[in-house]
Amino acid sequence: MNTALSWIKAYVPELECTDQEYCDAMTLTGTKVENFARLDKNLEKIVVGQIEKIEKHPDADKLIICQVNIGNEVIQIVTGAPNVKEGDKIPVVLDGGKVAGGHDGGPLPEDGIKIKAGKLRGIESNGMMCSIEELGSDRNMYPEAPELGIYIFPEDAPVGADAVEVLGMRDTVFEYEITSNRVDCYSVLGIAREAAATFRKPFVPPVIEVKENGEDVNDYVSVEVKDPDLCSRYCARVCTNIKIAPSPEWMQRRLRASGIRPINNLVDITNYVMEEYGQPMHAFDLDTVAGHKIIVRRAKDGDEFQTLDEQVRKLDKDMLMICDAEKEIGIAGIMGGENSKITDEVKTVLFEAATFNGPNIRKSAKRLGLRTDASGKFEKGLDPHNAQEAINRACQLIQELGCGEVVGGMVDVCQPMKDKARIKFEPQKINDLLGTEVSREDMLDIFKMLEIAYDESTNELIAPTYRQDLECRADIAEEVARFFGYDKIPTTLPTGEATAGKISYKLRIEQKARDIAEYCGFSQGMNYSFESPKVFDKLLLPADSPLRKTIVIANPLGEDFSIMRTISLNGMMTSLASNYNRRNKDVRLYELGNIYLPHQFPLTERPDERMQFTLGMYGEGDFYTMKGVIEEFFDAVGMKKKTVYDPNSGKPFLHPGRQADIVYDGETVGYLGEVHPVVCKNYDIAAKVYVAVLDMPLIVNKTTFDRKYEGIAKYPAVSRDISMVVPKNILAGQIEAMIEQRGGKILESYQLFDIYEGEQIKEGFKSVAYSITFRAKDRTLEEGDVSGAMKKILNGLEGLGIELRQ
């Protein structure tokens, strides 16, 4: 939203401030100014001059010598402009003055171009005549300017006057960032109302008085709204005896400053009212409206319609159309049709001001690929009351500018309008919310400036209809804060009862997983939940694997993001591959992310979303390094029972001899191992990769943060070492399980300290040695206690085919 300061001052006449003061104050009260620009930047010592005499240059065919009256004297200027003649009034830069740019209309230099008196081909020239481009503008804003040549003023321009002022360029244009809930501020009147409240100055809106002729609008046109859900109000007025002409200079200046190119009085009036009131309008040539009837209805699928930009648009049943008795004549809220456009021959004009369904306009504009200034306003949801004000303002301007006559009355098809919002006025609660001590009277003064009424009988504040953002006490408190001053609100402590907050138990376990992973040198990664079906082949999953039963995304970005992942390994391998291909030597990554397992097909309920703690690494470290990280995590979350690593996990994406299921308390909670070499090759990794995956929902149920203190042992420990010849198919875990089972209450700990295979050991066997420690909590152990426990352990080991090494 752009506005000229002069236009704002038209409604806040007592406003006096610098551009920076205006910018800062408006931003602090919530109407954020993004930036501002002076239209007269780098324009100095430029006056209106009149050419009194022209002579040919004696030494140049394309140059002429002009005697120019600048009011207090006549100066000589040499120029090559082809379009000037004696009597023309033109902008003249005097010696020492500045212009904004060059005649070619290229980028404007930051500091402008300084003009000095000098000689051209031996003839003195004491200034320069200006094109509109040299004044920092262009023909879009000043269409009367020549394409190549000097700008020519109208005959009534006063000689010697400030040319920049005459052009309406002594002004500042402000650009605002307006939030979507403040649709009232998408208008000059809305901005001016905010400025008046900000600077505590009176707000003087235009007074609308429409002088009508004695005719009745119902004799000219009728309106039928067939889809009231998409059009809650449709206002129509008729103007006759239309005379197309240029709009007055003051209107052209305001439109130019807002970035709108003036065209003619009729078009300019509709654009002017749209900017002033924030209500888009449209004008139809009534003579082209069949049956002089307007029908507002949905389009039909497959219909085509040619818009004002001469493009043929394809329509569908969800688009709202403005039609006459025979055909479509406009796309509601977006653009009119070529078949009813205003031409210079127009005699009778039908004005439309309506309120359309905002979301429908937004969706229609997107499907058409046609977003206009009008649709940009309609899509935010306009105030139905504003339509009548705007159409009356347009008719007033038609009459005041001598553009035509206004037919009496207005056709108004309107659905019941929403009541004004009423909010209980509770000053103390507002102050409690803000941490302020603003008096009741000061609050009411702020509300009065904002045209928020106060009903003393019910102690309620009544929001104006254009303030659709005011619905509850918090909204009212924000208005107080804005105009009391955010910078004046003191620092206060929150009030209320103290509460103890903490994260959930599940999140505590996940945080502990992060802590352990990072302590062990892993960095966190985040991977997409959307994947490609091709990843299952890369991971060597068989065709009948249940992991291939995935949830397909209805509107995927592409095949690579078309399914919800059922295994977290692809994301980890992709991240490791990226690091490997960037020549990072030692990489350790972890991820806490969900997989999505459907319960059945077709889907009847949400999938099982299971958090997976995934670790991956290559470089320094091996299988046992990864196993150590898992055991470190289990210890940290209170999983003290024996963890079993089952080598018969059968994961196709892991090395067949270097993988294991992680079994805790009889339940498989994850797996770890070295990634299969073929899988590594599929991901372009020429290194050994180790991964581990833990299913967090299973883990959480087996954890505890309860800790029991045990005092320092009072009695001595007794250690025994045993060296065994063990069949190779016997795992260390089986030996340890037997030691725990047979060791009894006096078993304190055990430690594997040697594994050996060699010539001294018979084929198919290995030598394994353990140190076993015994201790009693209530007494000193005797030899019989230790010997008895050892005998039970040895008997159990013999049952596994294990022999003591001689």
Side-chain angles (χ1 to χ4, degrees):
M1 178 73 192
N2 294 353
T3 68
L5 186 59
S6 60
W7 201 350
I8 299 296
K9 287 183 176 180
Y11 309 127
V12 192
E14 297 181 18
L15 178 62
E16 293 293 337
C17 61
T18 66
D19 295 341
Q20 191 61 53
E21 287 171 347
Y22 180 87
C23 173
D24 294 342
M26 292 292 283
T27 299
L28 280 174
T29 55
T31 308
K32 184 182 178 184
V33 178
E34 281 287 288
N35 55 61
F36 61 89
R38 290 287 308 179
L39 296 181
D40 58 358
K41 182 181 179 182
N42 294 326
L43 301 181
E44 299 176 8
K45 297 180 70 174
I46 305 176
V47 299
V48 177
Q50 185 171 23
I51 302 174
E52 294 186 345
K53 186 178 180 182
I54 297 178
E55 298 174 339
K56 288 187 176 181
H57 193 290
D59 296 324
D61 293 338
K62 294 185 178 180
L63 296 180
I64 57 175
I65 304 169
C66 302
Q67 304 301 320
V68 182
N69 181 2
I70 59 171
N72 56 354
E73 63 176 314
V74 176
I75 63 173
Q76 180 172 286
I77 298 176
V78 179
T79 181
N83 68 312
V84 295
K85 64 183 184 300
E86 291 181 358
D88 282 347
K89 293 180 178 179
I90 38 80
V92 176
V93 190
L94 304 179
D95 181 23
K98 274 187 177 183
V99 292
H103 66 277
D104 60 353
L108 301 181
E110 183 64 27
D111 298 323
I113 300 173
K114 195 163 188 178
I115 304 302
K116 294 183 180 180
K119 290 184 178 182
L120 286 177
R121 289 292 187 93
I123 302 298
E124 288 190 1
S125 182
N126 297 309
M128 186 183 80
M129 303 177 193
C130 300
S131 67
I132 199 64
E133 288 79 12
E134 287 164 328
L135 296 174
S137 190
D138 55 45
R139 295 183 68 245
N140 287 325
M141 295 296 104
Y142 292 85
E144 73 278 11
E147 184 174 355
L148 294 170
I150 303 302
Y151 182 82
I152 309 297
F153 283 111
E155 293 182 1
D156 58 354
V159 175
D162 181 350
V164 179
E165 180 68 34
V166 173
L167 285 166
M169 299 175 73
R170 294 288 184 206
D171 207 348
T172 306
V173 175
F174 291 87
E175 180 184 350
Y176 307 88
E177 180 185 325
I178 308 298
T179 54
S180 296
N181 65 324
R182 287 302 306 273
V183 67
D184 59 300
C185 287
Y186 284 89
S187 67
V188 177
L189 283 174
I191 297 290
R193 189 181 291 109
E194 290 287 305
T198 297
F199 291 95
R200 304 296 199 270
K201 301 294 182 182
F203 174 58
V204 186
V207 178
I208 301 177
E209 294 179 357
V210 182
K211 295 181 181 179
E212 305 171 339
N213 62 21
E215 298 177 290
D216 184 359
V217 69
N218 294 293
D219 296 333
Y220 281 84
V221 69
S222 62
V223 176
E224 179 185 1
V225 178
K226 290 189 175 181
D227 291 287
D229 58 320
L230 300 183
C231 178
S232 58
R233 189 174 196 182
Y234 193 98
C235 300
R237 296 203 68 157
V238 174
C239 296
T240 60
N241 299 322
I242 296 298
K243 302 177 184 68
I244 299 295
S247 54
E249 187 62 31
W250 62 267
M251 180 176 285
Q252 290 191 38
R253 289 180 182 179
R254 290 178 179 178
L255 291 175
R256 287 176 190 138
S258 298
I260 298 175
R261 178 175 178 263
I263 297 176
N264 58 50
N265 50 4
L266 188 58
V267 175
D268 291 353
I269 284 171
T270 59
N271 286 332
Y272 184 87
V273 172
M274 180 175 72
E275 291 299 302
E276 186 178 43
Y277 279 82
Q279 171 68 50
M281 294 184 57
H282 191 69
F284 298 102
D285 184 342
L286 188 59
D287 293 332
T288 66
V289 177
H292 286 192
K293 182 173 183 178
I294 293 293
I295 301 172
V296 184
R297 61 167 176 80
R298 283 178 164 87
K300 298 176 182 177
D301 283 334
D303 283 357
E304 292 186 344
F305 179 71
Q306 187 175 18
T307 47
L308 280 171
D309 57 1
E310 300 182 356
Q311 298 293 315
V312 175
R313 312 283 178 175
K314 287 193 174 181
L315 310 176
D316 61 52
K317 62 182 176 59
D318 293 321
M319 295 178 184
L320 190 66
M321 301 298 293
I322 308 300
C323 309
D324 60 19
E326 299 175 355
K327 61 188 180 300
E328 295 98 342
I329 58 176
I331 304 176
I334 300 176
M335 185 176 282
E338 180 73 14
N339 55 10
S340 62
K341 70 178 181 180
I342 298 295
T343 65
D344 291 344
E345 287 72 38
V346 65
K347 297 301 179 186
T348 307
V349 165
L350 170 65
F351 276 127
E352 162 197 286
T355 306
F356 301 117
N357 180 277
N360 176 263
I361 296 297
R362 177 179 59 81
K363 292 175 183 177
S364 297
K366 186 174 181 180
R367 290 198 299 277
L368 289 168
L370 179 63
R371 196 171 189 273
T372 60
D373 289 341
S375 69
K377 287 181 166 59
F378 276 122
E379 68 187 21
K380 294 171 177 64
L382 299 183
D383 173 20
H385 295 84
N386 199 37
Q388 181 176 349
E389 290 285 311
I391 202 168
N392 286 339
R393 174 62 165 162
C395 291
Q396 177 191 27
L397 291 171
I398 288 284
Q399 188 273 325
E400 288 182 353
L401 302 185
C403 186
E405 296 180 14
V406 181
V407 173
M410 177 180 73
V411 178
D412 186 7
V413 180
C414 183
Q415 301 303 309
M417 286 188 274
K418 193 169 142 184
D419 292 335
K420 293 181 179 180
R422 301 178 73 94
I423 304 164
K424 190 173 182 181
F425 181 41
E426 300 171 299
Q428 188 55 51
K429 289 186 177 180
I430 292 174
N431 277 322
D432 289 344
L433 181 62
L434 298 177
T436 57
E437 295 181 0
V438 183
S439 68
R440 174 190 177 92
E441 291 71 24
D442 288 343
M443 289 186 189
L444 289 175
D445 287 343
I446 291 172
F447 298 144
K448 185 177 180 180
M449 289 188 304
L450 297 171
E451 301 181 14
I452 300 172
Y454 174 58
D455 186 341
E456 193 170 355
S457 62
T458 61
N459 190 35
E460 289 178 317
L461 298 168
I462 306 172
T465 57
Y466 58 79
R467 288 301 303 274
Q468 300 178 36
D469 59 308
L470 300 181
E471 297 179 343
C472 62
R473 188 198 312 137
D475 299 326
I476 290 297
E478 182 182 10
E479 300 304 295
V480 174
R482 289 200 300 134
F483 294 101
F484 171 72
Y486 289 116
D487 54 329
K488 297 178 184 177
I489 297 177
T491 301
T492 58
L493 294 173
T495 58
E497 298 180 0
T499 58
K502 62 180 181 180
I503 62 175
S504 67
Y505 185 80
K506 170 181 172 292
L507 293 180
R508 288 176 67 192
I509 298 298
E510 291 176 9
Q511 185 57 53
K512 185 62 70 173
R514 292 187 186 92
D515 292 344
I516 295 300
E518 289 167 11
Y519 170 77
C520 294
F522 287 76
S523 298
Q524 185 170 14
M526 300 183 71
N527 298 302
Y528 289 113
S529 293
F530 300 167
E531 288 188 336
S532 167
K534 298 176 182 177
V535 304
F536 301 125
D537 293 333
K538 292 177 72 174
L539 294 174
L540 308 181
L541 290 175
D544 59 350
S545 172
L547 295 177
R548 288 181 179 265
K549 297 178 180 179
T550 60
I551 300 168
V552 179
I553 298 167
N555 55 341
L557 297 174
E559 185 184 8
D560 289 344
F561 301 95
S562 61
I563 61 170
M564 304 296 289
R565 67 177 180 178
T566 56
I567 183 171
S568 62
L569 201 58
N570 174 66
M572 178 58 65
M573 290 298 293
T574 302
S575 298
L576 291 173
S578 296
N579 280 274
Y580 182 82
N581 291 324
R582 285 163 176 76
R583 300 186 179 181
N584 293 328
K585 288 187 177 181
D586 299 304
V587 175
R588 296 186 179 193
L589 298 175
Y590 78 92
E591 179 197 13
L592 280 163
N594 286 338
I595 59 172
Y596 304 85
L597 304 177
H599 294 285
Q600 61 183 15
F601 287 101
L603 292 174
T604 57
E605 57 183 314
R606 293 178 60 187
D608 185 11
E609 299 184 26
R610 303 189 71 82
M611 177 68 70
Q612 305 291 289
F613 179 27
T614 307
L615 301 122
M617 70 179 190
Y618 67 80
E620 185 179 349
D622 56 16
F623 179 95
Y624 297 101
T625 306
M626 187 67 79
K627 178 172 175 284
V629 177
I630 298 299
E631 292 179 348
E632 186 84 17
F633 169 60
F634 283 2
D635 183 67
V637 294
M639 296 171 66
K640 300 296 185 182
K641 294 182 180 179
K642 178 68 176 177
T643 302
V644 177
Y645 296 89
D646 182 3
N648 300 313
S649 60
K651 300 289 187 295
F653 44 79
L654 297 179
H655 192 294
R658 300 168 191 169
Q659 60 173 289
D661 279 341
I662 304 170
V663 181
Y664 182 86
D665 196 21
E667 188 171 13
T668 301
V669 296
Y671 59 86
L672 82 160
E674 179 185 325
V675 176
H676 198 291
V678 174
V679 175
C680 289
K681 185 177 180 181
N682 290 341
Y683 286 91
D684 295 327
I685 304 176
K688 291 184 178 181
V689 177
Y690 300 92
V691 296
V693 178
L694 295 176
D695 189 65
M696 293 302 284
L698 294 177
I699 295 291
V700 170
N701 293 331
K702 301 179 184 302
T703 60
T704 178
F705 287 115
D706 293 339
R707 299 289 186 270
K708 293 182 179 180
Y709 169 74
E710 293 185 2
I712 298 174
K714 297 179 180 180
Y715 301 96
V718 177
S719 295
R720 293 287 187 271
D721 292 344
I722 56 172
S723 181
M724 301 165 283
V725 177
V726 181
K728 284 187 177 181
N729 63 333
I730 299 296
L731 304 177
Q734 294 174 272
I735 298 173
E736 292 171 1
M738 186 60 67
I739 293 173
E740 286 187 358
Q741 179 186 346
R742 298 296 184 100
K745 294 182 178 180
I746 62 172
L747 176 66
E748 183 178 75
S749 64
Y750 50 86
Q751 181 70 44
L752 174 66
F753 68 86
D754 182 59
I755 297 179
Y756 173 74
E757 294 183 33
E759 295 180 358
Q760 295 86 351
I761 306 300
K762 58 186 176 179
E763 187 176 350
F765 287 79
K766 57 187 174 182
S767 172
V768 178
Y770 275 87
S771 176
I772 304 175
T773 302
F774 301 94
R775 189 196 306 267
K777 295 181 180 180
D778 56 350
R779 59 190 175 85
T780 300
L781 290 175
E782 297 180 355
E783 179 61 28
D785 299 321
V786 177
S787 298
M790 285 297 298
K791 186 176 182 180
K792 291 180 180 179
I793 291 172
L794 293 173
N795 289 338
L797 293 174
E798 287 177 2
L800 297 175
I802 297 172
E803 304 173 1
L804 279 179
R805 186 175 177 187
Q806 302 299 324

